[in-house]
mmCIF file of all heavy atoms in Angstrom:
data_model
loop_
_atom_site.group_PDB
_atom_site.id
_atom_site.type_symbol
_atom_site.label_atom_id
_atom_site.label_comp_id
_atom_site.label_asym_id
_atom_site.label_seq_id
_atom_site.Cartn_x
_atom_site.Cartn_y
_atom_site.Cartn_z
ATOM 1 N N LEU A 1 -1.741 16.381 1.403
ATOM 2 C CA LEU A 1 -2.585 15.635 0.445
ATOM 3 C C LEU A 1 -2.879 14.330 1.009
ATOM 4 O O LEU A 1 -2.006 13.683 1.709
ATOM 5 C CB LEU A 1 -1.848 15.511 -0.851
ATOM 6 C CG LEU A 1 -2.596 15.069 -2.099
ATOM 7 C CD1 LEU A 1 -3.623 16.152 -2.521
ATOM 8 C CD2 LEU A 1 -1.624 14.836 -3.256
ATOM 9 N N ARG A 2 -4.066 13.832 0.757
ATOM 10 C CA ARG A 2 -4.396 12.451 1.193
ATOM 11 C C ARG A 2 -4.813 11.646 -0.024
ATOM 12 O O ARG A 2 -5.837 11.998 -0.690
ATOM 13 C CB ARG A 2 -5.514 12.382 2.271
ATOM 14 C CG ARG A 2 -5.710 10.995 2.827
ATOM 15 C CD ARG A 2 -6.844 10.935 3.888
ATOM 16 N NE ARG A 2 -8.131 10.947 3.316
ATOM 17 C CZ ARG A 2 -9.178 10.542 4.018
ATOM 18 N NH1 ARG A 2 -9.120 10.160 5.247
ATOM 19 N NH2 ARG A 2 -10.384 10.596 3.411
ATOM 20 N N LEU A 3 -4.038 10.581 -0.252
ATOM 21 C CA LEU A 3 -4.382 9.678 -1.366
ATOM 22 C C LEU A 3 -5.280 8.555 -0.816
ATOM 23 O O LEU A 3 -5.087 8.146 0.351
ATOM 24 C CB LEU A 3 -3.099 9.086 -1.930
ATOM 25 C CG LEU A 3 -2.060 10.138 -2.416
ATOM 26 C CD1 LEU A 3 -0.855 9.405 -2.999
ATOM 27 C CD2 LEU A 3 -2.649 11.081 -3.435
ATOM 28 N N SER A 4 -6.143 8.077 -1.617
ATOM 29 C CA SER A 4 -7.086 7.033 -1.216
ATOM 30 C C SER A 4 -7.012 5.811 -2.184
ATOM 31 O O SER A 4 -6.700 6.021 -3.356
ATOM 32 C CB SER A 4 -8.543 7.573 -1.253
ATOM 33 O OG SER A 4 -8.706 8.629 -0.370
ATOM 34 N N CYS A 5 -7.208 4.686 -1.610
ATOM 35 C CA CYS A 5 -7.206 3.449 -2.411
ATOM 36 C C CYS A 5 -8.367 2.607 -2.007
ATOM 37 O O CYS A 5 -8.522 2.202 -0.888
ATOM 38 C CB CYS A 5 -5.856 2.676 -2.194
ATOM 39 S SG CYS A 5 -5.706 1.051 -3.011
ATOM 40 N N VAL A 6 -9.337 2.474 -2.988
ATOM 41 C CA VAL A 6 -10.531 1.601 -2.681
ATOM 42 C C VAL A 6 -10.076 0.144 -2.948
ATOM 43 O O VAL A 6 -9.491 -0.168 -3.994
ATOM 44 C CB VAL A 6 -11.654 1.926 -3.616
ATOM 45 C CG1 VAL A 6 -12.822 1.039 -3.423
ATOM 46 C CG2 VAL A 6 -12.043 3.389 -3.460
ATOM 47 N N VAL A 7 -10.349 -0.712 -1.997
ATOM 48 C CA VAL A 7 -9.976 -2.080 -2.071
ATOM 49 C C VAL A 7 -11.202 -2.958 -2.176
ATOM 50 O O VAL A 7 -12.117 -2.889 -1.332
ATOM 51 C CB VAL A 7 -9.160 -2.493 -0.808
ATOM 52 C CG1 VAL A 7 -8.741 -3.959 -0.924
ATOM 53 C CG2 VAL A 7 -7.976 -1.574 -0.629
ATOM 54 N N THR A 8 -11.278 -3.787 -3.195
ATOM 55 C CA THR A 8 -12.388 -4.713 -3.378
ATOM 56 C C THR A 8 -11.895 -6.151 -3.633
ATOM 57 O O THR A 8 -10.802 -6.335 -4.127
ATOM 58 C CB THR A 8 -13.313 -4.322 -4.505
ATOM 59 O OG1 THR A 8 -12.538 -4.230 -5.690
ATOM 60 C CG2 THR A 8 -13.955 -2.968 -4.259
ATOM 61 N N GLY A 9 -12.702 -7.068 -3.261
ATOM 62 C CA GLY A 9 -12.356 -8.487 -3.418
ATOM 63 C C GLY A 9 -12.715 -9.257 -2.172
ATOM 64 O O GLY A 9 -13.361 -8.777 -1.277
ATOM 65 N N ARG A 10 -12.330 -10.540 -2.114
ATOM 66 C CA ARG A 10 -12.603 -11.447 -1.029
ATOM 67 C C ARG A 10 -11.480 -11.517 -0.098
ATOM 68 O O ARG A 10 -10.322 -11.341 -0.538
ATOM 69 C CB ARG A 10 -13.032 -12.795 -1.575
ATOM 70 C CG ARG A 10 -14.202 -12.787 -2.551
ATOM 71 C CD ARG A 10 -14.545 -14.113 -3.075
ATOM 72 N NE ARG A 10 -14.910 -15.062 -2.038
ATOM 73 C CZ ARG A 10 -15.161 -16.363 -2.311
ATOM 74 N NH1 ARG A 10 -15.084 -16.843 -3.526
ATOM 75 N NH2 ARG A 10 -15.507 -17.137 -1.289
ATOM 76 N N THR A 11 -11.695 -11.828 1.115
ATOM 77 C CA THR A 11 -10.642 -12.039 2.171
ATOM 78 C C THR A 11 -9.634 -10.965 2.144
ATOM 79 O O THR A 11 -8.409 -11.263 2.071
ATOM 80 C CB THR A 11 -10.032 -13.400 1.975
ATOM 81 O OG1 THR A 11 -9.402 -13.523 0.667
ATOM 82 C CG2 THR A 11 -11.076 -14.505 2.132
ATOM 83 N N LEU A 12 -10.050 -9.736 2.266
ATOM 84 C CA LEU A 12 -9.097 -8.597 2.302
ATOM 85 C C LEU A 12 -8.142 -8.698 3.437
ATOM 86 O O LEU A 12 -6.998 -8.187 3.377
ATOM 87 C CB LEU A 12 -9.806 -7.288 2.363
ATOM 88 C CG LEU A 12 -10.824 -7.006 1.239
ATOM 89 C CD1 LEU A 12 -11.456 -5.691 1.431
ATOM 90 C CD2 LEU A 12 -10.216 -7.154 -0.132
ATOM 91 N N SER A 13 -8.480 -9.370 4.476
ATOM 92 C CA SER A 13 -7.678 -9.391 5.733
ATOM 93 C C SER A 13 -6.463 -10.271 5.581
ATOM 94 O O SER A 13 -5.574 -10.214 6.479
ATOM 95 C CB SER A 13 -8.534 -9.931 6.888
ATOM 96 O OG SER A 13 -8.958 -11.254 6.592
ATOM 97 N N VAL A 14 -6.340 -10.993 4.483
ATOM 98 C CA VAL A 14 -5.129 -11.814 4.343
ATOM 99 C C VAL A 14 -4.020 -11.127 3.507
ATOM 100 O O VAL A 14 -3.064 -11.777 3.054
ATOM 101 C CB VAL A 14 -5.415 -13.242 3.714
ATOM 102 C CG1 VAL A 14 -6.460 -13.978 4.596
ATOM 103 C CG2 VAL A 14 -5.920 -13.099 2.305
ATOM 104 N N TYR A 15 -4.238 -9.858 3.336
ATOM 105 C CA TYR A 15 -3.294 -9.083 2.555
ATOM 106 C C TYR A 15 -2.645 -7.917 3.377
ATOM 107 O O TYR A 15 -3.280 -7.433 4.302
ATOM 108 C CB TYR A 15 -3.970 -8.396 1.328
ATOM 109 C CG TYR A 15 -4.424 -9.388 0.292
ATOM 110 C CD1 TYR A 15 -5.604 -10.079 0.387
ATOM 111 C CD2 TYR A 15 -3.581 -9.682 -0.809
ATOM 112 C CE1 TYR A 15 -5.997 -10.956 -0.585
ATOM 113 C CE2 TYR A 15 -3.965 -10.567 -1.773
ATOM 114 C CZ TYR A 15 -5.207 -11.194 -1.698
ATOM 115 O OH TYR A 15 -5.582 -12.118 -2.636
ATOM 116 N N ASP A 16 -1.464 -7.562 2.957
ATOM 117 C CA ASP A 16 -0.796 -6.374 3.348
ATOM 118 C C ASP A 16 -1.003 -5.378 2.222
ATOM 119 O O ASP A 16 -1.095 -5.781 1.042
ATOM 120 C CB ASP A 16 0.702 -6.481 3.632
ATOM 121 C CG ASP A 16 0.975 -7.284 4.884
ATOM 122 O OD1 ASP A 16 0.133 -7.391 5.720
ATOM 123 O OD2 ASP A 16 2.125 -7.720 4.987
ATOM 124 N N TYR A 17 -1.067 -4.084 2.523
ATOM 125 C CA TYR A 17 -1.307 -3.085 1.483
ATOM 126 C C TYR A 17 -0.200 -2.034 1.546
ATOM 127 O O TYR A 17 0.143 -1.556 2.656
ATOM 128 C CB TYR A 17 -2.658 -2.440 1.661
ATOM 129 C CG TYR A 17 -3.795 -3.405 1.512
ATOM 130 C CD1 TYR A 17 -4.144 -4.211 2.598
ATOM 131 C CD2 TYR A 17 -4.349 -3.640 0.235
ATOM 132 C CE1 TYR A 17 -5.153 -5.195 2.444
ATOM 133 C CE2 TYR A 17 -5.315 -4.659 0.113
ATOM 134 C CZ TYR A 17 -5.722 -5.372 1.206
ATOM 135 O OH TYR A 17 -6.655 -6.408 1.077
ATOM 136 N N GLY A 18 0.266 -1.741 0.341
ATOM 137 C CA GLY A 18 1.446 -0.821 0.337
ATOM 138 C C GLY A 18 1.238 0.354 -0.662
ATOM 139 O O GLY A 18 0.349 0.277 -1.530
ATOM 140 N N TRP A 19 1.990 1.393 -0.393
ATOM 141 C CA TRP A 19 2.022 2.514 -1.310
ATOM 142 C C TRP A 19 3.443 2.596 -1.924
ATOM 143 O O TRP A 19 4.436 2.547 -1.148
ATOM 144 C CB TRP A 19 1.646 3.808 -0.684
ATOM 145 C CG TRP A 19 0.197 4.033 -0.416
ATOM 146 C CD1 TRP A 19 -0.487 3.840 0.706
ATOM 147 C CD2 TRP A 19 -0.757 4.508 -1.332
ATOM 148 N NE1 TRP A 19 -1.813 4.070 0.573
ATOM 149 C CE2 TRP A 19 -2.006 4.570 -0.701
ATOM 150 C CE3 TRP A 19 -0.773 5.025 -2.638
ATOM 151 C CZ2 TRP A 19 -3.156 5.018 -1.267
ATOM 152 C CZ3 TRP A 19 -1.871 5.440 -3.240
ATOM 153 C CH2 TRP A 19 -3.112 5.491 -2.597
ATOM 154 N N PHE A 20 3.528 2.711 -3.207
ATOM 155 C CA PHE A 20 4.740 2.929 -3.932
ATOM 156 C C PHE A 20 4.665 4.170 -4.761
ATOM 157 O O PHE A 20 3.544 4.702 -5.023
ATOM 158 C CB PHE A 20 5.073 1.744 -4.846
ATOM 159 C CG PHE A 20 5.501 0.517 -4.116
ATOM 160 C CD1 PHE A 20 4.539 -0.295 -3.450
ATOM 161 C CD2 PHE A 20 6.794 0.074 -4.100
ATOM 162 C CE1 PHE A 20 4.849 -1.466 -2.791
ATOM 163 C CE2 PHE A 20 7.173 -1.081 -3.434
ATOM 164 C CZ PHE A 20 6.203 -1.838 -2.759
ATOM 165 N N ARG A 21 5.799 4.741 -5.184
ATOM 166 C CA ARG A 21 5.753 5.854 -6.080
ATOM 167 C C ARG A 21 6.808 5.646 -7.133
ATOM 168 O O ARG A 21 7.815 4.957 -6.939
ATOM 169 C CB ARG A 21 5.921 7.186 -5.327
ATOM 170 C CG ARG A 21 7.303 7.347 -4.776
ATOM 171 C CD ARG A 21 7.295 8.675 -3.946
ATOM 172 N NE ARG A 21 8.657 9.019 -3.498
ATOM 173 C CZ ARG A 21 8.924 10.104 -2.799
ATOM 174 N NH1 ARG A 21 7.992 10.940 -2.377
ATOM 175 N NH2 ARG A 21 10.205 10.372 -2.401
ATOM 176 N N GLN A 22 6.566 6.282 -8.310
ATOM 177 C CA GLN A 22 7.493 6.117 -9.415
ATOM 178 C C GLN A 22 7.529 7.400 -10.281
ATOM 179 O O GLN A 22 6.453 7.871 -10.660
ATOM 180 C CB GLN A 22 7.111 4.950 -10.306
ATOM 181 C CG GLN A 22 8.126 4.625 -11.394
ATOM 182 C CD GLN A 22 7.867 3.312 -12.083
ATOM 183 O OE1 GLN A 22 6.711 2.839 -12.093
ATOM 184 N NE2 GLN A 22 8.884 2.716 -12.685
ATOM 185 N N ASP A 23 8.684 7.945 -10.418
ATOM 186 C CA ASP A 23 8.946 9.108 -11.263
ATOM 187 C C ASP A 23 9.433 8.559 -12.625
ATOM 188 O O ASP A 23 10.149 7.549 -12.641
ATOM 189 C CB ASP A 23 9.988 10.003 -10.626
ATOM 190 C CG ASP A 23 9.750 11.458 -10.827
ATOM 191 O OD1 ASP A 23 8.726 11.799 -11.422
ATOM 192 O OD2 ASP A 23 10.643 12.222 -10.515
ATOM 193 N N PRO A 24 9.096 9.180 -13.721
ATOM 194 C CA PRO A 24 9.593 8.705 -15.020
ATOM 195 C C PRO A 24 11.121 8.580 -15.049
ATOM 196 O O PRO A 24 11.844 9.443 -14.550
ATOM 197 C CB PRO A 24 9.124 9.871 -16.006
ATOM 198 C CG PRO A 24 7.937 10.427 -15.339
ATOM 199 C CD PRO A 24 8.247 10.367 -13.813
ATOM 200 N N GLY A 25 11.500 7.415 -15.548
ATOM 201 C CA GLY A 25 12.952 7.150 -15.640
ATOM 202 C C GLY A 25 13.603 6.603 -14.398
ATOM 203 O O GLY A 25 14.740 6.392 -14.391
ATOM 204 N N LYS A 26 12.778 6.402 -13.376
ATOM 205 C CA LYS A 26 13.282 5.849 -12.109
ATOM 206 C C LYS A 26 12.522 4.576 -11.757
ATOM 207 O O LYS A 26 11.444 4.320 -12.228
ATOM 208 C CB LYS A 26 13.104 6.915 -10.985
ATOM 209 C CG LYS A 26 13.909 8.205 -11.201
ATOM 210 C CD LYS A 26 13.688 9.106 -9.993
ATOM 211 C CE LYS A 26 14.517 10.355 -10.172
ATOM 212 N NZ LYS A 26 14.323 11.334 -9.021
ATOM 213 N N GLU A 27 13.096 3.857 -10.800
ATOM 214 C CA GLU A 27 12.495 2.628 -10.342
ATOM 215 C C GLU A 27 11.358 2.953 -9.422
ATOM 216 O O GLU A 27 11.288 3.982 -8.742
ATOM 217 C CB GLU A 27 13.493 1.704 -9.671
ATOM 218 C CG GLU A 27 14.546 1.164 -10.571
ATOM 219 C CD GLU A 27 15.439 0.085 -9.899
ATOM 220 O OE1 GLU A 27 15.242 -0.135 -8.669
ATOM 221 O OE2 GLU A 27 16.339 -0.460 -10.587
ATOM 222 N N ARG A 28 10.403 2.005 -9.381
ATOM 223 C CA ARG A 28 9.297 2.159 -8.429
ATOM 224 C C ARG A 28 9.851 2.048 -6.968
ATOM 225 O O ARG A 28 10.637 1.145 -6.667
ATOM 226 C CB ARG A 28 8.255 1.108 -8.688
ATOM 227 C CG ARG A 28 6.921 1.322 -8.016
ATOM 228 C CD ARG A 28 5.874 0.451 -8.627
ATOM 229 N NE ARG A 28 5.576 0.803 -9.991
ATOM 230 C CZ ARG A 28 4.558 0.319 -10.693
ATOM 231 N NH1 ARG A 28 3.713 -0.540 -10.115
ATOM 232 N NH2 ARG A 28 4.300 0.728 -11.939
ATOM 233 N N GLU A 29 9.417 2.990 -6.143
ATOM 234 C CA GLU A 29 10.009 3.139 -4.832
ATOM 235 C C GLU A 29 8.964 2.886 -3.757
ATOM 236 O O GLU A 29 7.833 3.404 -3.759
ATOM 237 C CB GLU A 29 10.493 4.523 -4.696
ATOM 238 C CG GLU A 29 11.098 5.011 -3.407
ATOM 239 C CD GLU A 29 11.612 6.416 -3.468
ATOM 240 O OE1 GLU A 29 10.832 7.321 -3.924
ATOM 241 O OE2 GLU A 29 12.704 6.732 -2.979
ATOM 242 N N PHE A 30 9.314 2.070 -2.704
ATOM 243 C CA PHE A 30 8.453 1.767 -1.622
ATOM 244 C C PHE A 30 8.289 3.021 -0.739
ATOM 245 O O PHE A 30 9.281 3.729 -0.480
ATOM 246 C CB PHE A 30 9.057 0.618 -0.727
ATOM 247 C CG PHE A 30 8.369 0.390 0.540
ATOM 248 C CD1 PHE A 30 7.125 -0.141 0.570
ATOM 249 C CD2 PHE A 30 8.925 0.814 1.725
ATOM 250 C CE1 PHE A 30 6.457 -0.365 1.757
ATOM 251 C CE2 PHE A 30 8.305 0.587 2.955
ATOM 252 C CZ PHE A 30 7.045 -0.025 2.982
ATOM 253 N N VAL A 31 7.115 3.261 -0.360
ATOM 254 C CA VAL A 31 6.777 4.369 0.545
ATOM 255 C C VAL A 31 6.326 3.932 1.921
ATOM 256 O O VAL A 31 6.931 4.280 2.915
ATOM 257 C CB VAL A 31 5.711 5.286 -0.077
ATOM 258 C CG1 VAL A 31 5.324 6.469 0.918
ATOM 259 C CG2 VAL A 31 6.110 5.863 -1.408
ATOM 260 N N ALA A 32 5.320 3.093 1.984
ATOM 261 C CA ALA A 32 4.718 2.615 3.258
ATOM 262 C C ALA A 32 3.864 1.437 3.038
ATOM 263 O O ALA A 32 3.392 1.185 1.955
ATOM 264 C CB ALA A 32 3.915 3.715 3.929
ATOM 265 N N ALA A 33 3.672 0.671 4.123
ATOM 266 C CA ALA A 33 2.778 -0.518 4.045
ATOM 267 C C ALA A 33 2.040 -0.629 5.387
ATOM 268 O O ALA A 33 2.440 -0.169 6.454
ATOM 269 C CB ALA A 33 3.580 -1.790 3.761
ATOM 270 N N VAL A 34 0.826 -1.326 5.241
ATOM 271 C CA VAL A 34 0.020 -1.559 6.428
ATOM 272 C C VAL A 34 -0.577 -2.955 6.367
ATOM 273 O O VAL A 34 -0.934 -3.402 5.258
ATOM 274 C CB VAL A 34 -1.062 -0.466 6.595
ATOM 275 C CG1 VAL A 34 -2.012 -0.479 5.413
ATOM 276 C CG2 VAL A 34 -1.844 -0.663 7.912
ATOM 277 N N ARG A 35 -0.648 -3.612 7.489
ATOM 278 C CA ARG A 35 -1.292 -4.945 7.567
ATOM 279 C C ARG A 35 -2.797 -4.728 7.871
ATOM 280 O O ARG A 35 -3.163 -4.092 8.906
ATOM 281 C CB ARG A 35 -0.599 -5.799 8.643
ATOM 282 C CG ARG A 35 -1.214 -7.192 8.778
ATOM 283 C CD ARG A 35 -0.185 -8.204 9.246
ATOM 284 N NE ARG A 35 0.858 -8.338 8.221
ATOM 285 C CZ ARG A 35 2.015 -8.991 8.399
ATOM 286 N NH1 ARG A 35 2.257 -9.562 9.614
ATOM 287 N NH2 ARG A 35 2.864 -9.096 7.455
ATOM 288 N N TRP A 36 -3.601 -5.246 7.028
ATOM 289 C CA TRP A 36 -5.059 -5.031 7.148
ATOM 290 C C TRP A 36 -5.542 -5.528 8.468
ATOM 291 O O TRP A 36 -6.384 -4.880 9.132
ATOM 292 C CB TRP A 36 -5.777 -5.738 5.971
ATOM 293 C CG TRP A 36 -7.258 -5.446 5.948
ATOM 294 C CD1 TRP A 36 -8.260 -6.101 6.490
ATOM 295 C CD2 TRP A 36 -7.798 -4.350 5.183
ATOM 296 N NE1 TRP A 36 -9.460 -5.555 6.155
ATOM 297 C CE2 TRP A 36 -9.194 -4.438 5.355
ATOM 298 C CE3 TRP A 36 -7.286 -3.334 4.401
ATOM 299 C CZ2 TRP A 36 -10.078 -3.543 4.768
ATOM 300 C CZ3 TRP A 36 -8.161 -2.482 3.784
ATOM 301 C CH2 TRP A 36 -9.567 -2.592 3.978
ATOM 302 N N SER A 37 -5.147 -6.676 8.928
ATOM 303 C CA SER A 37 -5.720 -7.327 10.111
ATOM 304 C C SER A 37 -5.269 -6.700 11.387
ATOM 305 O O SER A 37 -6.008 -6.712 12.372
ATOM 306 C CB SER A 37 -5.295 -8.820 10.085
ATOM 307 O OG SER A 37 -3.870 -8.932 10.077
ATOM 308 N N THR A 38 -4.088 -6.100 11.404
ATOM 309 C CA THR A 38 -3.555 -5.590 12.728
ATOM 310 C C THR A 38 -3.303 -4.099 12.742
ATOM 311 O O THR A 38 -3.189 -3.482 13.765
ATOM 312 C CB THR A 38 -2.221 -6.248 13.080
ATOM 313 O OG1 THR A 38 -1.258 -5.920 12.126
ATOM 314 C CG2 THR A 38 -2.425 -7.783 13.213
ATOM 315 N N GLY A 39 -3.184 -3.496 11.534
ATOM 316 C CA GLY A 39 -2.866 -2.077 11.469
ATOM 317 C C GLY A 39 -1.381 -1.775 11.618
ATOM 318 O O GLY A 39 -0.945 -0.630 11.606
ATOM 319 N N THR A 40 -0.592 -2.801 11.739
ATOM 320 C CA THR A 40 0.858 -2.568 11.826
ATOM 321 C C THR A 40 1.404 -1.944 10.528
ATOM 322 O O THR A 40 0.959 -2.220 9.456
ATOM 323 C CB THR A 40 1.573 -3.973 11.916
ATOM 324 O OG1 THR A 40 1.052 -4.647 13.055
ATOM 325 C CG2 THR A 40 3.075 -3.772 12.129
ATOM 326 N N THR A 41 2.302 -1.004 10.700
ATOM 327 C CA THR A 41 2.804 -0.228 9.588
ATOM 328 C C THR A 41 4.309 -0.290 9.422
ATOM 329 O O THR A 41 5.068 -0.634 10.364
ATOM 330 C CB THR A 41 2.448 1.254 9.736
ATOM 331 O OG1 THR A 41 2.965 1.805 10.952
ATOM 332 C CG2 THR A 41 0.875 1.470 9.776
ATOM 333 N N SER A 42 4.736 0.040 8.206
ATOM 334 C CA SER A 42 6.216 0.094 7.919
ATOM 335 C C SER A 42 6.369 1.218 6.956
ATOM 336 O O SER A 42 5.508 1.472 6.075
ATOM 337 C CB SER A 42 6.695 -1.210 7.291
ATOM 338 O OG SER A 42 8.033 -1.125 6.929
ATOM 339 N N TYR A 43 7.479 1.947 7.098
ATOM 340 C CA TYR A 43 7.752 3.090 6.215
ATOM 341 C C TYR A 43 9.179 3.127 5.645
ATOM 342 O O TYR A 43 10.105 2.562 6.312
ATOM 343 C CB TYR A 43 7.612 4.401 7.076
ATOM 344 C CG TYR A 43 6.217 4.698 7.514
ATOM 345 C CD1 TYR A 43 5.780 4.323 8.759
ATOM 346 C CD2 TYR A 43 5.339 5.435 6.671
ATOM 347 C CE1 TYR A 43 4.444 4.594 9.147
ATOM 348 C CE2 TYR A 43 4.065 5.719 7.060
ATOM 349 C CZ TYR A 43 3.594 5.323 8.361
ATOM 350 O OH TYR A 43 2.323 5.560 8.670
#
């Protein structure tokens, strides 16, 4: 499956973008992140 996230706003390059997930009754969990300007990732 591929999830998509449309990003709008000004100066998008000064942000990192992450994906989290949350199951009912559980805390929100980090999945992955990417730096807009360099493409560097973390999982």
Side-chain angles (χ1 to χ4, degrees):
L1 193 67
R2 189 178 78 163
L3 305 180
S4 300
C5 177
V6 179
V7 182
T8 56
R10 301 177 64 181
T11 59
L12 302 181
S13 61
V14 300
Y15 291 85
D16 290 341
Y17 297 85
W19 284 95
F20 288 76
R21 67 184 188 181
Q22 188 170 23
D23 216 7
K26 296 183 180 179
E27 291 189 357
R28 195 164 292 188
E29 178 180 45
F30 170 73
V31 177
V34 63
R35 181 152 294 171
W36 188 268
S37 57
T38 63
T40 305
T41 59
S42 177
Y43 292 92

